Amino acid sequence: MTGTSLPWLAIVLWAANVIVDSAGQLAFKAAAINDADAEGLTRWYRMAQQPWLWLGIGCYVLEFVLWLAFLSLVPLSQGVLMGSINIVAIMLAGRWLFRERLTRLRVIGILLVSLGVAIVGLPA
């Protein structure tokens, strides 16, 4: 793969992985905050009844398959670094959906991770 760009299938799998992993994280967050006032085993029992929790688990299963398929097409070092963009997608979605705060340092982190992923995705 040296000297060439990523195969189109790798790009599709990478994008699908980012979307599915982010959806899973967001579903877990939605399940966790739905009954925030409950405590102990009651809270865990209520979370287990949340469709969000099961959506998150389903996303993680699908993400696992997508990740394996993606890693079968790219070197591990490149794949893991490109997978870091999930952090950016999740932070931005958390801001948008849950009104979580993005500090100046987090924004700088988002920019640095995005730059790193862009550099790693370039042809070698």
Side-chain angles (χ1 to χ4, degrees):
M1 180 166 343
T2 304
T4 63
S5 59
L6 288 172
W8 68 270
L9 182 56
I11 294 169
V12 169
L13 289 168
W14 173 68
N17 178 275
V18 171
I19 292 166
V20 173
D21 181 58
S22 299
Q25 291 283 354
L26 296 169
F28 285 146
K29 176 69 174 182
I33 63 172
N34 224 358
D35 278 322
D37 58 332
E39 294 181 9
L41 289 177
T42 302
R43 181 173 184 177
W44 287 97
Y45 178 73
R46 287 184 186 171
M47 271 196 290
Q49 294 176 326
Q50 294 289 324
W52 289 117
L53 177 70
W54 299 103
L55 175 64
I57 291 170
C59 284
Y60 267 36
V61 169
L62 179 57
E63 190 261 342
F64 175 74
V65 172
L66 291 168
W67 185 245
L68 285 178
F70 173 66
L71 287 180
S72 73
L73 299 173
V74 300
L76 179 61
S77 59
Q78 184 179 23
V80 169
L81 290 171
M82 289 181 68
S84 298
I85 201 69
N86 293 6
I87 297 166
V88 172
I90 292 164
M91 281 199 310
L92 293 175
R95 169 71 179 124
W96 180 56
L97 294 171
F98 301 112
R99 309 230 188 278
E100 293 182 346
R101 195 164 164 247
L102 287 180
T103 64
R104 178 177 291 161
L105 285 177
R106 287 183 184 160
V107 171
I108 291 169
I110 286 171
L111 295 173
L112 290 173
V113 169
S114 299
L115 178 62
V117 169
I119 290 170
V120 169
L122 292 173

